[in-house]
Amino acid sequence: MSDPSAASVEAILEGLATHDPSVLESLLAAQLENLDASGLDPDTYFLVKIAALVAIDAAPASFVWQIGLALEAGVTPEQIVGVLVALAPTVGNARIVAAAPEIALGLGLIDEED
């Protein structure tokens, strides 16, 4: 997926939209390589990534993806809420309030329709 052509961009986007296992596996492999390269333990790695999503006001799908990976790695919902508490003085309450529903969605506490 490094330097995709127009045709491969379309194929990648289609694969993501249809949950094509080969496309998702390549993304997961890149994620795992990055985890190894970071030198961080999995909990810290995924909590940092969630914090970055909050800071950049990321799309809901990004939260769902990262939170799913974090939970699989053993991160707890309480740790994720701790990230929100820790970030509030830095990014502001408005950003935390905006991220809360996305995190709740990623944790499966609310449905997309809510």
Side-chain angles (χ1 to χ4, degrees):
M1 286 186 7
S2 63
D3 195 21
S5 68
S8 67
V9 166
E10 185 177 339
I12 292 167
L13 291 174
E14 182 179 332
L16 289 171
T18 61
H19 305 284
D20 180 319
S22 64
V23 173
L24 296 174
E25 285 172 14
S26 66
L27 290 176
L28 186 56
Q31 182 94 340
L32 293 175
E33 288 172 17
N34 187 250
L35 169 59
D36 290 340
S38 76
L40 298 172
D41 64 89
D43 282 11
T44 302
Y45 177 82
F46 287 108
L47 291 171
V48 166
K49 294 192 65 108
I50 292 168
L53 295 177
V54 173
I56 65 168
D57 197 22
S62 297
F63 281 96
V64 171
W65 170 259
Q66 282 303 321
I67 290 171
L69 293 173
L71 294 173
E72 287 178 22
V75 171
T76 67
E78 292 80 10
Q79 289 174 298
I80 295 170
V81 170
V83 166
L84 292 180
V85 171
L87 282 175
T90 304
V91 301
N93 288 335
R95 189 63 54 102
I96 298 303
V97 169
E102 312 311 343
I103 290 173
L105 179 64
L107 291 172
L109 300 175
I110 61 172
D111 293 328
E112 241 178 300
E113 297 86 38
D114 290 343

